[in-house]
Every structure is written in C-alpha cells, then in structure tokens.
Amino acid sequence: GAGVSQSPSNKVTEKGKDVELRCDPISGHTALYWYRQSLGQGLEFLIYFQGNSAPDKSGLPSDRFSAERTGGSVSTLTIQRTQQEDSAVYLCASSLRLAGELTRYYNEQFFGPGTRLTVL
Amino acid sequence: GNSVTQMEGPVTLSEEAFLTINCTYTATGYPSLFWYVQYPGEGLQLLLKATKADDKGSNKGFEATYRKETTSFHLEKGSVQVSDSAVYFCAPSGFQKLVFGTGTRLLVSP
C-alpha cells in the first residue's frame, strides 16, 4: 500500500478485556515500531521489530503487553486485561533499512494514523 | 541511551512571527536528527532531517541545523502561518530506533 495502515482506527473496550491492534507496514520495510501517545504526553516507545532478529521489547510497560510480527510484515499488538491507564493512541511506524553508508537514513520512520484505544 | 529535551509548550505566536523551538539531545555515537510534526487530527509526518554535523535540514520554510558541538537541533521559521499550528517532535536516532521528545505545541493566531 501507499502508507502504513492501522486498524481499527478507534477501539472502546471494558476494563479487563483483551484487545488486539493491527499494523500493516509499507511494503518492503523491514523495521516496524510500536509507540504509545497518551493525552498530554510524548511518544513512548513500546517495541521494535527488525527482520528476523529478536524484537526489542524494552519499552513494553508490563507483561500484559505483547506483540508479534508474522512473515516479516503485519504486526499485532495485544493488550491483555486492559486497564484505564492503557487508554491512549497507539502508533505504528515502519522504516526501510539501507546498506553501507546509507545506514544513517535507516531511522526515517513512516507513521500510520494510529488506533485510539479507550478503556472504560 | 539516547535522550532529547524540547522546550515546553504551548508556544503561542501571532501570524508572521519568528519561531524557534529548542531541542537538545544526548546520544551515543553519531545520530541522525529529525523533526516530526503532528497536525491536528493527523498522524506524525517527517518535517525535516539532518544526518551529519553542520547539515541544515529544511522544508516548508522550516530549518534546523545539526550542531554537534552543542548537541542541538533547534527548529526555526522566519514567518509562521496559522496552518503551522501543530505539535512538533524532535527525535535523534539511536541504535535502530528514534527517541522522541515530549513535543512542543505551537499555536499561531491570525
């Protein structure tokens, strides 16, 4: 597709329920990132996938959060037993890894429109 | 690890005023530097970037110069417009990921 897509665009759930958020990165982009943007806050890094390497999960706030990336493309972020503090906009981004001298361009990320999660 | 500090907002300006949004960073190695912008109701988009010292990134009248000696990447525009009202994020690249600042909200009034 032309850009990064995310679904659903909005999700309202009840406290304690599990939710799944989906991200379709730009075709050919090998890196995929998840961020969280809470009201009045900046972007909080959650998790990063690069090719077949082990994901960098250092930003996941608790073990209720997990993510997977199937076939090096689509990614799903799962939040189990949602809490009200999980309410936020969840953003996905992808980037293209370039070789050699161009590697410093690697981190130009392209963002999706986000999923707004509301936990009641 | 990398970190970034942006000036707190909101920054409120009148149309045609001069804009500066300060950004300083700490980084391991030699990062690339980015400014992203988020217009109301829209997703983040890249505004400009610089990949080495003294490089100047520019786009839509905005400029930022990579100052390695002061570890800064301040965003400037000579004459802001109402349509520039948005949240601006400074982001140095770390190893395989960007580190975003908290964002600075710019409000431009006619």
Side-chain angles (χ1 to χ4, degrees):
Chain A
V4 177
S5 60
Q6 293 185 245
S7 60
S9 56
N10 279 285
K11 177 70 176 180
V12 180
T13 190
E14 294 179 348
K15 178 182 173 180
K17 300 284 189 182
D18 297 352
V19 295
E20 287 188 350
L21 312 179
R22 177 186 169 105
C23 172
D24 283 89
I26 292 173
S27 178
H29 279 194
T30 56
L32 186 147
Y33 308 77
W34 282 99
Y35 297 87
R36 179 169 70 175
Q37 187 175 28
S38 304
L39 186 63
Q41 304 293 315
L43 271 76
E44 177 185 7
F45 165 78
L46 297 177
I47 189 169
Y48 154 71
F49 296 89
Q50 168 53 44
N52 295 321
S53 301
D56 177 352
K57 304 179 182 180
S58 60
L60 294 179
S62 77
D63 58 9
R64 296 185 296 104
F65 288 73
S66 63
E68 63 177 20
R69 189 178 184 191
T70 54
S73 182
V74 172
S75 177
T76 302
L77 177 69
T78 301
I79 309 173
Q80 296 178 309
R81 306 181 302 281
T82 52
Q83 304 295 313
Q84 287 182 333
E85 61 262 27
D86 299 334
S87 296
V89 176
Y90 289 81
L91 297 169
C92 176
S94 70
S95 69
L96 175 65
R97 183 168 191 172
L98 302 175
E101 289 298 310
L102 298 176
T103 54
R104 58 174 53 254
Y105 291 93
Y106 170 72
N107 281 307
E108 180 173 347
Q109 296 179 21
F110 296 84
F111 283 80
T115 294
R116 181 176 297 279
L117 175 65
T118 303
V119 182
L120 302 176
Chain B
N2 292 11
S3 66
V4 59
T5 302
Q6 282 183 241
M7 63 189 295
E8 297 223 358
V11 173
T12 304
L13 295 173
S14 298
E15 206 165 24
E16 299 184 3
F18 183 86
L19 168 71
T20 299
I21 300 178
N22 290 339
C23 169
T24 56
Y25 65 91
T26 59
T28 302
Y30 198 162
S32 296
L33 301 174
F34 301 84
W35 276 100
Y36 279 80
V37 59
Q38 187 174 34
Y39 297 103
E42 299 185 17
L44 271 85
Q45 53 189 279
L46 179 67
L47 179 60
L48 53 84
K49 64 185 179 186
T51 58
K52 60 183 186 293
D54 300 324
D55 262 5
K56 179 184 286 186
S58 61
N59 187 25
K60 299 182 180 180
F62 290 88
E63 293 182 338
T65 301
Y66 192 141
R67 300 292 187 197
K68 194 166 187 289
E69 65 279 10
T70 55
T71 62
S72 65
F73 193 51
H74 304 322
L75 183 68
E76 297 181 335
K77 187 173 186 181
S79 176
V80 293
Q81 305 299 312
V82 172
S83 58
D84 294 327
S85 297
V87 182
Y88 294 81
F89 294 89
C90 181
S93 63
F95 179 65
Q96 298 182 333
K97 62 187 179 188
L98 289 171
V99 178
F100 283 90
T102 54
T104 302
R105 183 175 298 278
L106 171 65
L107 300 171
V108 181
S109 57

